[in-house]
Amino acid sequence: PTIPWATPSDPNWGAAFPTITHGVWQTTGDTAIVTKHLDGLVRYLGALEEGVAKTGLSKMFAQFGDWFPPNCLARGPNCTASKPLCSAAAFITGCRQVSAMASAVDNSTIAKRFSDLEAKLSTEFNKVWLSKDGSSFATGKQTELAIPLYLGIVPKEHVDKVLASLVSSIEAAGFHVTTGILGTRALYEVLATHGRIDVALKLLNNAAYPSYGYMVSNKYEPSTTLWERWESDVIPHDQADASRNHIMFGAISAFFWKYLAGLRPAMPGFA
């Protein structure tokens, strides 16, 4: 997907192609959509592979990265997580999805190609961004810690240390997130799957900015729908990236279904 001022697309936006295809297959169990789009998906990931072959993951192309962490305009260009790290995560996820889909239609060649590429990229990811002591990634922002845990690519011996760094960052922020849309999606699920759902629930029950609770409790515009930004209440023009009805932070719904309601798909076709 491309738009005139953002061409080519950021890998986390282009990831809509493998993610939607994978999601439809997982939901319905129907592999027809996989058969229809597998060649295109291979070309899409192949284009990312060509780019990374020239730059390495450390300089992988990105446009937006972890879009709209809290108060980013005021905090300047260093407020957001590493954009190449975010792009690398999208690439790794796409390889994982396409490998699984190829296996579902008995295309072992494509399945192995992208399984191998996923493993290679994961190794490079850790080489580029994992700290020497194994406790942090990149500059240690919440997004940079949550994403590799979410992907399951942190070396086993370092998982507890990275998790501790993430929880420490959340505590230091007064039990607030510093994440944009990518980090937020990863953070809540990581806390749930690594035995710290208590921290996730404390975040969710926080009604001070920035938080989901603030969208409801702020004095200006108590919301009945999700906002595009953590601070959409104080941005007067709702077309200036400040919609008050936007799914962008909607990944929290998946957390509710999976870890509060306890409904997690066991196999494709669960719907």
Side-chain angles (χ1 to χ4, degrees):
T2 59
I3 48 180
W5 50 270
T7 302
S9 64
D10 183 290
N12 277 288
W13 274 246
F17 186 18
T19 298
I20 292 172
T21 308
H22 184 267
V24 171
W25 163 55
Q26 285 287 300
T27 303
T28 65
D30 186 352
T31 58
I33 191 169
V34 176
T35 301
K36 180 178 180 180
H37 292 293
L38 188 58
D39 287 346
L41 290 164
V42 169
R43 290 195 300 273
Y44 170 69
L45 292 179
L48 295 182
E49 186 178 16
E50 288 179 11
V52 168
K54 298 174 183 177
T55 65
L57 285 185
S58 66
K59 296 181 179 179
M60 187 176 176
F61 170 78
Q63 284 272 15
F64 307 118
D66 190 34
W67 200 230
F68 287 156
N71 200 26
C72 204
L73 293 176
R75 291 190 290 131
N78 293 324
C79 75
T80 191
S82 163
K83 289 183 178 181
L85 181 150
C86 293
S87 289
F91 191 11
I92 290 168
T93 300
C95 289
R96 185 175 297 173
Q97 291 168 333
V98 171
S99 178
M101 288 188 282
S103 292
V105 295
D106 298 320
N107 192 320
S108 59
T109 301
I110 291 177
K112 185 177 187 305
R113 172 184 171 185
F114 289 105
S115 177
D116 289 349
L117 181 55
E118 178 199 345
K120 177 183 175 184
L121 293 171
S122 298
T123 298
E124 184 177 351
F125 189 106
N126 286 316
K127 182 177 180 181
V128 171
W129 287 296
L130 180 62
S131 64
K132 289 183 179 180
D133 67 358
S135 68
S136 186
F137 281 83
T139 60
K141 292 180 174 66
Q142 289 177 15
T143 292
E144 296 164 341
L145 300 170
I147 281 179
L149 287 168
Y150 179 74
L151 291 174
I153 63 172
V154 180
K156 185 177 180 180
E157 65 272 22
H158 299 313
V159 169
D160 288 346
K161 289 186 285 186
V162 175
L163 178 66
S165 295
L166 175 60
V167 172
S168 177
S169 176
I170 293 168
E171 291 172 343
F175 285 92
H176 288 97
V177 295
T178 62
T179 51
I181 56 173
L182 304 179
T184 300
R185 176 188 62 187
L187 182 143
Y188 283 94
E189 294 207 22
V190 160
L191 292 172
T193 56
H194 289 78
R196 295 310 309 264
I197 199 166
D198 60 311
V199 177
L201 294 177
K202 195 163 185 176
L203 285 168
L204 284 170
N205 281 296
N206 195 335
Y209 169 86
S211 67
Y212 285 105
Y214 179 77
M215 296 182 190
V216 177
S217 67
N218 74 92
K219 65 181 181 180
Y220 300 107
E221 186 181 34
S223 181
T224 58
T225 52
L226 288 172
W227 293 349
E228 185 177 7
R229 298 175 69 143
W230 296 113
E231 58 274 346
S232 285
D233 59 316
V234 295
I235 299 175
H237 195 304
D238 69 1
Q239 294 305 307
D241 296 319
S243 168
R244 278 79 161 180
N245 184 5
H246 202 297
I247 193 59
M248 202 160 76
F249 282 98
I252 194 63
S253 296
F255 170 81
F256 288 155
W257 280 106
K258 292 180 180 178
Y259 304 106
L260 298 187
L263 299 174
R264 293 189 287 277
M267 64 185 67
F270 65 89

